[in-house]
Amino acid sequence: MIKDLISTVKDNRVIAENVYMITLVLPESAESFHGGQFVNLETVDKSLLLRRPLGVCIAEGNELSLCYQVKGKGTKKLTEAKSGDKLKVLLPLGNYFDLSGYKKVAVVGGGVGIFPLIAAIRENKDVEFHAFMGFRNKSAVCLLNELEKCRSLTVTTDDGSYGKKGNAVEAFLSEAENFDFDAVISCGPPVMLKALKQRLAERDIKTPCFVSLEERMGCGVGACLVCVCKTADGKNARVCKDGPVFDINKVVL
């Protein structure tokens, strides 16, 4: 059931260059959230009517931690939220990474796309995860303490300033033959997801792959159609309502 709650800001801090983590205290438990789901959070500026969709990164007790990159007026205003502020939050929204039955999973993330993947890792404690995470440079690297919970972790940066030089997709493919993965989960910029889909097809890798799409959203509940994407069968899907998690072969990237 989707609820519109009033949350209390506990903390709002910088975790990487231009990236923040905001922790909200809810009036009820947050532990029913699944990795891949998101919330629609208002900003501190009431003149900004549209809320901002933010993926759940950590859900513990009655606290939710959400991470966001400052990109526009709304997220810039959100950085001004301080401890004790009251913010309306619509939740839980979207579907999630359902890893029932999978034992060994590759995690391929890029930039701010790592956050919903962290939630999936935290939730599925009986799954053996092998993570391949890509960042722009050293200043963008964050939350390694969470990613290190995986059985293995490979970090790449575009300029080689931290970890291996390269990207997460190439790092994953270089190791794919060394592991018998049951599934792949991924989230990141569209160009990364497109490259992942192409490379899996080129190598004829049939392993199930599930991706969380990043799209501009309005309502968050499927009514406004701002976040429509194309499906492989020529139809339309609403990322907020039908996703954001899809089988990579069922969406056009």
Side-chain angles (χ1 to χ4, degrees):
M1 178 185 298
I2 297 175
K3 300 179 180 181
D4 199 2
L5 304 177
I6 296 178
S7 66
T8 303
V9 177
K10 178 181 180 180
D11 188 37
N12 190 22
R13 60 188 175 89
V14 176
I15 60 171
E17 184 179 22
N18 222 30
V19 178
Y20 285 69
M21 174 184 280
I22 185 169
T23 298
L24 307 175
V25 179
L26 303 181
E28 58 184 52
S29 174
E31 295 188 349
S32 61
F33 274 86
H34 300 290
Q37 290 185 305
F38 66 99
V39 307
N40 251 15
L41 180 67
E42 72 173 352
T43 71
V44 294
D45 187 343
K46 306 305 180 183
S47 69
L48 296 174
L49 299 181
L50 290 181
R51 303 185 189 188
R52 269 47 188 178
L54 301 177
V56 174
C57 184
I58 300 173
E60 289 183 334
N62 64 336
E63 296 183 2
L64 275 184
S65 291
L66 317 165
C67 299
Y68 61 97
Q69 184 178 40
V70 182
K71 298 185 72 174
K73 185 176 181 180
T75 47
K76 177 63 176 177
K77 280 294 182 182
L78 194 55
T79 66
E80 299 175 9
K82 59 186 183 299
S83 178
D85 284 350
K86 304 292 184 181
L87 297 178
K88 291 182 180 179
V89 57
L90 190 68
L91 53 82
L93 302 174
N95 63 2
Y96 57 94
F97 291 105
D98 185 356
L99 299 181
S100 304
Y102 296 114
K103 297 299 182 183
K104 186 182 292 187
V105 175
V107 187
V108 184
V112 294
I114 73 169
F115 305 131
L117 299 174
I118 286 175
I121 292 167
R122 292 175 62 91
E123 177 184 2
N124 296 276
K125 300 184 185 303
D126 58 340
V127 174
E128 179 183 315
F129 288 105
H130 295 265
F132 306 86
M133 299 293 169
F135 300 91
R136 183 178 63 260
N137 52 40
K138 184 177 180 179
S139 65
V141 177
C142 59
L143 298 184
L144 293 186
N145 60 315
E146 291 291 339
L147 297 171
E148 288 168 351
K149 295 175 181 179
C150 297
R151 179 67 61 88
S152 68
L153 169 62
T154 300
V155 177
T156 69
T157 49
D158 295 342
D159 61 2
S161 56
Y162 190 94
K164 296 182 178 181
K165 185 175 182 178
N167 61 67
V169 173
E170 293 303 325
F172 158 64
L173 291 170
S174 69
E175 296 291 338
E177 295 179 357
N178 298 327
F179 297 97
D180 185 20
F181 293 121
D182 299 321
V184 180
I185 61 174
S186 184
C187 184
V191 65
M192 188 200 87
L193 299 182
K194 184 176 182 178
L196 177 60
K197 184 175 182 178
Q198 290 177 337
R199 297 302 301 277
L200 289 174
E202 290 170 359
R203 292 198 177 195
D204 197 32
I205 296 176
K206 304 296 186 182
T207 306
C209 180
F210 306 100
V211 295
S212 178
L213 302 187
E214 299 177 349
E215 289 287 347
R216 284 184 172 274
M217 295 182 184
C219 67
V221 294
C224 70
L225 305 182
V226 168
C227 62
V228 167
C229 69
K230 292 291 184 181
T231 60
D233 59 4
K235 298 180 180 179
N236 293 324
R238 299 159 297 179
V239 173
C240 68
K241 183 73 172 180
D242 304 314
V245 177
F246 296 90
D247 182 316
I248 197 170
N249 293 313
K250 294 184 179 180
V251 288
V252 176
L253 298 173

